[in-house]
């Protein structure tokens, strides 16, 4: 009987909850789901629109700001050396707040504490540019986020949020990105949701955007209440996603459809 | 939560404030035999609703909609739904598919309880109205193979 079959399936699925994550050999960046011309756009620095933000970020890196009259470069020197691999470790544990902070928040904490400047708003051109410039220095580096044992409870919290069903459509991130990543949602490839390329240029946005912007879009998509930018929940999700992508290569600034 | 369905008829009385707009319905076996509105739906309106993005159906499903460029493949093809299921069975699948398969990803289109963190725009409202569900049921029932 079809109906009893459905119940048996339901029980099997319940039994499988908490199943293993995608093994490293099967982890696929959103890049691998793209059409050849979009891949070329990402690969070619002269065609990648994200490079405009990276170049702007380099200018800001060297510009003195506010009361302290210090540029990022005055403390950190040449970013190609000092920022190499840094983005591949974020979000990281912040001693001052006892919580994980993402790369944008880390940059803003330098602005407040070391430059005596006001924090840059999330998704502002300046913050995206500085983040893209710093993240670019990790291009090709393997993601290492989550190695710090102090982060463990926050990774666990992020995973819980990732599994939780929410919103009017009552879906969890895992329903799409773990269970259906080989399928299509209204024609769009559903990927494994690895945050390897942020901040990235999305053709749909016609702009660079942060990982938090992407997460808010998925949360609104399932008709749940999107958390405010900078909310602990978004940082915990970022942390879980990055630690879930451990070993994958950083691609910022990536391009996505 | 599956036993009541097997047990036969169950009267669902939506509780308290937010659910006040939902009409009550009776589940028999794996079906809701009676129309939610007491009237038959309109199949032409139902088709228009199914392909409309805001109804969300073809985000996941595909079906006999050659004019629709973007259809999903997370769920069964809707072609021939009316040959496989009765109107009552289709109605329960739309109203609350999770009663038949607790792990389904198909949203419950006529339910407001048991949900988490629903956005303010959508809070306290079912995804579709009773009238819209009846129109879609009428359309799906007309899909024969
Ligand atoms: C006056 C000195 C100073 C300035 C100016 C400064 N920083 Fe920093 N930055 C630091 C120090 C010191 C640290 C180490 C952590 C701490 O104590 O805050 C740090 C840490 C960082 C980190 C984290 C590195 C890691 O390994 O985790 C990043 C990223 C960063 N800074 C980016 C920037 C950017 C971008 C700017 C300019 C907007 C900037 N910093 C301006 C002193 C500075
Ligand atoms: C109904 C399906 C669905 C749900 C549920 C969903 N997403 Fe997505 N997600 C998508 C689609 C479609 C895209 C766009 C295609 C792509 O880039 O993966 C996307 C994109 C992403 C990306 C960008 C991947 C990249 O390569 O840049 C991340 C990260 C992501 N989602 C995380 C999440 C998280 C975290 C949740 C839960 C809060 C979630 N998603 C819920 C469908 C979904
Ligand atoms: C997020 C994905 C999703 C959405 C949105 C969705 N469905 Fe489904 N639907 C499914 C899945 C998956 C099944 C398979 C049965 C199960 O999982 O319980 C299904 C099963 C069905 C069935 C039974 C199919 C069969 O022949 O076995 C019908 C009919 C149906 N859906 C109609 C609809 C209609 C109409 C809408 C929109 C009002 C809709 N669905 C929206 C995922 C979805």
């Amino acid at each position: 009987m079809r109906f009893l079959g459905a119940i048996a399936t339901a029980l099997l699925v319940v039994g499988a909850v908490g199943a293993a994550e995608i093994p490293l050999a099967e982890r696929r960046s959103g890049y691998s789901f793209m059409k050849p011309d979009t891949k070329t756009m990402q690969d070619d620095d002269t065609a990648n629109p994200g490079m405009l933000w990276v170049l702007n970020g380099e200018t800001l890196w060297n510009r003195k700001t506010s009361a302290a009259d210090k540029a990022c470069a005055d403390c950190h020197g040449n970013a190609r050396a000092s920022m190499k691999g840094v983005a591949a470790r974020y979000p990281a544990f912040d001693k001052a707040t006892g919580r994980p902070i993402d790369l944008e928040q880390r940059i803003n904490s330098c602005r407040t504490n070391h430059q005596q400047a006001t924090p840059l708003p999330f998704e502002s051109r300046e913050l995206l540019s500085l983040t893209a410039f710093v993240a670019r220095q990790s291009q090709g580096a393997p993601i290492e986020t989550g190695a710090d044992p102090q982060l463990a409870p926050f990774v666990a919290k992020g995973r819980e949020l990732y599994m939780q069903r929410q919103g009017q459509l009552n879906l969890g991130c895992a329903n799409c990105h773990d269970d259906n990543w080989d399928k299509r949602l209204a024609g769009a490839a559903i990927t494994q949701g690895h945050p390897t390329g942020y901040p990235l240029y999305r053709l749909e946005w016609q702009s660079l955007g942060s990982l938090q912007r992407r997460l808010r879009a998925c949360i609104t998509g399932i008709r749940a209440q999107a958390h405010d930018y900078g909310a602990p929940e978004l940082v915990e999700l970022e942390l879980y996603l990055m630690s879930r992508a451990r070993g994958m290569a950083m691609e910022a600034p990536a391009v996505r459809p | 939560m599956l036993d009541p369905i097997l047990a036969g008829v169950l009267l669902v009385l939506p509780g308290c404030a937010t659910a006040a707009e939902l009409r009550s319905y009776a589940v028999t076996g794996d079906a809701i035999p009676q129309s939610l509105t007491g009237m038959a739906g309109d199949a032409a309106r139902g088709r228009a609703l199914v392909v409309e993005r805001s109804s969300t159906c073809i985000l996941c499903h595909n079906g006999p909609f050659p004019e629709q460029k973007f259809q999903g493949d997370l769920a069964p093809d809707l072609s021939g739904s009316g040959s496989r299921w009765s109107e009552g069975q289709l109605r329960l699948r739309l109203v609350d598919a999770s009663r038949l398969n607790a792990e389904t990803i198909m949203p419950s289109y006529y339910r407001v309880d048991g949900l988490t963190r629903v956005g303010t725009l959508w809070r306290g409202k079912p995804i579709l109205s009773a009238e819209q569900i009846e129109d879609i049921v009428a359309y799906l029932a007309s899909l024969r193979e």
Side-chain angles (χ1 to χ4, degrees):
Chain A
M1 212 180 121
R2 181 165 195 138
F3 177 57
L4 289 177
I7 293 174
T9 316
L11 292 177
L12 281 177
V13 175
V14 169
V17 161
E21 49 191 60
I22 306 169
L24 182 56
E26 286 157 43
R27 278 181 220 159
R28 287 175 57 191
S29 158
Y31 177 88
S32 75
F33 294 77
M34 302 197 304
K35 295 205 187 86
D37 53 338
T38 326
K39 287 183 177 172
T40 309
M41 191 188 272
Q42 171 170 325
D43 295 339
D44 177 359
D45 275 357
T46 62
N48 183 335
M51 286 309 291
L52 296 173
W53 278 262
V54 172
L55 292 175
N56 188 41
E58 181 160 25
T59 307
L60 297 172
W61 177 265
N62 292 305
R63 182 179 295 166
K64 296 189 188 298
T65 309
S66 293
D69 199 34
K70 279 208 160 69
C72 317
D74 290 331
C75 295
H76 294 290
N78 185 341
R80 274 167 197 84
S82 68
M83 291 293 135
K84 196 171 178 202
V86 167
R89 293 191 273 100
Y90 272 73
F93 190 77
D94 175 50
K95 284 198 193 68
T97 53
R99 297 192 46 84
I101 53 169
D102 67 13
L103 193 56
E104 282 88 346
Q105 293 172 319
R106 173 67 252 183
I107 290 168
N108 264 335
S109 98
C110 272
R111 274 193 57 98
T112 342
N113 300 329
H114 298 306
Q115 293 185 309
Q116 277 105 57
T118 49
L120 298 165
F122 284 99
E123 301 309 290
S124 62
R125 186 169 172 82
E126 292 87 342
L127 186 55
L128 285 173
S129 296
L130 278 167
T131 311
F133 176 66
V134 171
R136 162 77 181 194
Q137 313 311 322
S138 296
Q139 209 177 61
I143 292 175
E144 291 170 14
T145 305
D148 181 349
Q150 289 172 283
L151 289 170
F154 302 99
V155 176
K157 184 78 195 312
R159 182 172 192 276
E160 216 172 276
L161 292 166
Y162 182 84
M163 302 309 250
Q164 181 194 54
R165 292 208 185 209
Q166 57 176 330
Q168 195 190 36
L169 303 188
N170 201 27
L171 291 168
C173 318
N175 289 132
C176 288
H177 296 294
D178 283 351
D179 304 340
N180 284 297
W181 58 262
D182 50 348
K183 306 263 175 47
R184 300 181 82 81
L185 188 73
I190 299 174
T191 73
Q192 298 177 349
H194 292 303
T196 46
Y198 288 84
L200 58 69
Y201 188 90
R202 199 166 262 276
L203 299 172
E204 186 201 337
W205 295 338
Q206 297 194 21
S207 170
L208 202 79
S210 69
L211 179 54
Q212 292 204 10
R213 176 171 179 184
R214 175 67 246 178
L215 300 186
R216 283 167 48 91
C218 280
I219 294 170
T220 309
I222 52 182
R223 304 187 181 180
Q225 191 65 34
H227 309 273
D228 293 336
Y229 279 107
E233 290 88 347
L234 288 180
V235 180
E236 285 154 3
L237 271 172
E238 289 182 280
L239 174 64
Y240 172 66
L241 289 173
M242 282 291 278
S243 66
R244 175 173 168 272
R246 257 182 341 274
M248 296 179 75
M250 290 284 289
E251 312 167 42
V255 174
R256 293 288 182 270
Chain B
M1 73 241 97
L2 290 162
D3 301 81
I5 305 170
L6 293 171
V9 181
L10 169 82
L11 196 60
V12 178
L13 294 169
C16 51
T18 48
E21 336 150 17
L22 292 196
R23 301 166 207 227
S24 60
Y25 55 82
V27 177
T28 308
D30 71 339
I32 299 174
Q34 303 293 319
S35 160
L36 297 176
T37 60
M39 293 192 303
D42 176 311
R45 277 202 309 257
R47 187 187 194 281
L49 279 167
V50 167
V51 299
E52 193 174 291
R53 216 183 153 99
S54 60
S55 310
T56 72
C57 311
I58 65 170
L59 289 179
C60 292
H61 289 275
N62 45 76
F65 327 113
E67 81 287 4
Q68 296 297 323
K69 249 177 81 189
F70 302 113
Q71 306 185 27
D73 64 0
L74 271 69
D77 189 331
L78 292 176
S79 308
S81 294
S83 309
R84 290 191 294 277
W85 308 105
S86 70
E87 286 203 6
Q89 286 174 315
L90 290 168
R91 193 174 286 113
L92 179 56
R93 274 153 186 80
L94 284 173
V95 164
D96 192 359
S98 71
R99 283 169 156 272
L100 301 167
N101 171 4
E103 294 299 312
T104 189
I105 55 167
M106 175 150 157
S108 299
Y109 284 86
Y110 200 66
R111 192 179 102 193
V112 293
D113 58 346
L115 302 173
T116 311
R117 303 195 63 259
V118 177
T120 43
L121 271 175
W122 304 284
R123 207 167 291 163
K125 297 174 201 148
I127 305 172
L128 295 172
S129 69
E131 288 74 15
Q132 289 174 317
I133 295 212
E134 290 308 324
D135 290 343
I136 295 177
V137 166
Y139 170 62
L140 294 176
S142 77
L143 296 178
R144 306 267 169 180
E145 263 176 353

